[in-house]
Amino acid sequence: MKVYNTLTRQKEEFKTLEPNKVKMYSCGPTVYNYFHVGNSRPFIIFDVLRRYLEYKGYEVTFVQNFTDIDDKVIKKANEEGTTYDKIAERYIKEYFTDAEGLGIKKANYHPLATENIDGIIDMVKTLIDKGFAYELNGDVYYNTKAFAPYGKLSHQPLEELEAGARIGVNEEKKDAMDFALWKNAKPGEPSWVSPWGNGRPGWHIECSVMAKRYLGDTIDIHSGGVDLCFPHHENEIAQSEAANGKPFANYWMHNAFLNIDNKKMSKSLNNFFTVRDIAEQVGYEPIRFFMLSAHYRSPINYTREAIEQAQNALARINTAITNIKFLGANGKDGDLRDVEKESIAKFEGFNKAFSDAMDDDLNTADAIAAIFDMIREINTICADTEVTKVYAKEAKTALFALCDVLGIGNIAEEEMLDSEIEDLINQRTIARKNKDYKESDRIRDLLKEKGIILYDTPQGVKWSREN
Ligand code: AMP
Ligand code: ZN
């Protein structure tokens, strides 16, 4: 597999630190609002990366944090006359609602900045001890000049970065590029006890601390939106590598931005959409599909037409899925026919096209094309009234495996409702009374497909669900 590494600006062969294991960290949301459709891009893309690595047989440990303390969270709390932790708690809950809707799996760890204050203080102390940080009136700053490789991720030397930077009004730091590791408490703001007086962490330090805590000093992949590259990720590198004395992340992956009708999304342009807004109109699935229809490193343009196209494409996938689910239960009995064997032999080619696309720096657009090729093949066979159950089941397994990597399509096996089960049992009883054993067997098989087991007892038919 090849991935584009922002650090080297090249597509590189992906090699893990430990055989078959991947340690992945992705910067998560600041929790002061519902997340917007732009934010959903990295969440979806890196969920797909994780799923694909798992599909390839890697054991993935995935960490995505919540920034639960920062200016925006505090501002929101003040506006509502509540506390920062209440705001964070609310929007973490809302994050999980939207993430679940979008088919984003939970990370192995979702740590909060405020749960890691001890670790943050420890790392800041280490940075001071090693000469990479200094205290100034209760603030602690990172001394960027002390870290020679500073700028290596953004490929800009420190002098160039400095030229574009300014020192804020209330700051006394030595150099414009120095950034806060710890901020002295301001009146009315939440704060924690530290060796430098009461205060709270700067933003960048939490990710260095959480990555170390859950994944170790060196990780395989670190990811986020391209805006995080500088300064956030540059600062994470400076912190982690100076404190740990080891390389921080081997691969840095960044998604490009999402625009709305070719414009930057912003509240002032009135084109700011949360995922919740869009999901209420069109559902969550088309958002995910839309996001995967372009390469993650290309800017993507959100429009009404684009989401409609996603809806149409998904409908085609879902029709095929419904059809093979049905034929798996209702197709012909008996062995595979020759034409079906030939068709199944072609699946390998679609699988390969899918993996080749994904191996090429996660080309989800081409991976979707491979899924459509498979669907076309399956539809051709399923159009024949002679199609067998065995074929439909094989087709289902093959298609579902690929859809599952991208998290698209209605592949979940719906649980039958108790009432539906009882209706079918009644129909079967009637069929048996009429000595229509073909029909009664068909119903028994159909229920078996759905994991419902029937027991014929002297008191009548009883049933239970498998597992
Ligand atoms: P934030 O909560 O602002 O820290 O952002 C969470 C994630 O969303 C980060 O990885 C950002 O880089 C990413 N992000 C923010 N805006 C956009 C956008 N318009 N398009 C794509 N990614 C974005
Ligand atoms: Zn981060």
Side-chain angles (χ1 to χ4, degrees), residues 27-32 36-43 67 72 203 223-228 255-259 265:
C27 298
T30 306
V31 276
Y32 69 102
H36 61 64
V37 58
N39 296 139
S40 76
R41 192 172 193 194
F43 304 153
T67 299
K72 290 182 281 242
W203 168 35
S223 56
V226 68
D227 59 320
L228 297 188
N255 63 275
F257 254 41
L258 171 138
N259 294 314
M265 177 166 52

Side-chain angles (χ1 to χ4, degrees), residues 27 207 232 236:
C27 298
C207 291
H232 183 55
E236 284 190 38

Side-chain angles (χ1 to χ4, degrees), residues 183-424:
K183 297 175 174 183
N184 191 18
K186 293 204 194 96
E189 283 191 0
S191 64
W192 288 261
V193 178
S194 84
W196 318 286
N198 287 359
R200 63 180 167 99
W203 168 35
H204 315 293
I205 191 75
E206 67 184 68
C207 291
S208 287
V209 169
M210 296 177 197
K212 182 181 170 82
R213 173 166 174 193
Y214 294 99
L215 301 170
D217 289 349
T218 307
I219 67 175
D220 293 291
I221 303 173
H222 195 123
S223 56
V226 68
D227 59 320
L228 297 188
C229 195
F230 183 82
H232 183 55
H233 289 162
E234 197 73 68
N235 293 352
E236 284 190 38
I237 293 177
Q239 294 162 162
S240 295
E241 299 197 350
N244 304 329
K246 305 221 181 88
F248 182 30
N250 285 341
Y251 302 89
W252 286 87
M253 296 177 71
H254 293 101
N255 63 275
F257 254 41
L258 171 138
N259 294 314
I260 308 272
D261 296 317
N262 283 318
K263 292 190 200 81
K264 194 173 173 210
M265 177 166 52
S266 81
K267 288 199 170 128
S268 56
L269 287 176
N270 241 346
N271 66 357
F272 183 93
F273 300 114
T274 64
V275 162
R276 192 67 61 90
D277 295 333
I278 299 173
E280 274 165 9
Q281 291 182 20
V282 299
Y284 286 106
E285 293 85 358
I287 305 176
R288 182 174 181 111
F289 190 91
F290 160 72
M291 226 52 92
L292 300 177
S293 62
H295 191 270
Y296 76 95
R297 282 193 295 115
S298 307
I300 191 168
N301 190 28
Y302 179 88
T303 61
R304 185 77 216 172
E305 297 79 64
I307 210 80
E308 276 165 14
Q309 273 171 18
Q311 282 176 303
N312 293 338
L314 259 181
R316 278 195 282 149
I317 296 178
N318 284 333
T319 305
I321 288 175
T322 309
N323 203 19
I324 47 176
K325 276 183 181 169
F326 176 81
L327 291 171
N330 298 290
K332 298 277 183 211
D333 290 320
D335 296 335
L336 286 172
R337 297 172 303 140
D338 285 344
V339 59
E340 293 175 343
K341 285 186 193 152
E342 283 160 25
S343 173
I344 288 169
K346 292 185 197 158
F347 291 174
E348 213 34 59
F350 303 129
N351 285 339
K352 185 172 180 310
F354 179 89
S355 292
D356 286 349
M358 295 295 278
D359 280 344
D360 183 13
D361 192 29
L362 223 61
N363 188 337
T364 50
D366 284 2
I368 290 175
I371 290 184
F372 272 110
D373 288 342
M374 183 184 266
I375 287 178
R376 247 186 306 277
E377 172 62 30
I378 294 172
N379 284 348
T380 313
I381 303 293
C382 289
D384 184 334
T385 49
E386 291 305 304
V387 62
T388 63
K389 281 183 188 153
V390 203
Y391 176 80
K393 285 182 195 165
E394 294 251 358
K396 188 172 123 178
T397 308
L399 178 61
F400 282 24
L402 303 190
C403 287
D404 190 39
V405 174
L406 300 186
I408 56 173
N410 183 17
I411 59 171
E413 296 292 349
E414 304 100 37
E415 281 231 318
M416 285 184 103
L417 300 174
D418 288 7
S419 59
E420 288 175 307
I421 295 168
E422 273 144 28
D423 277 355
L424 281 169

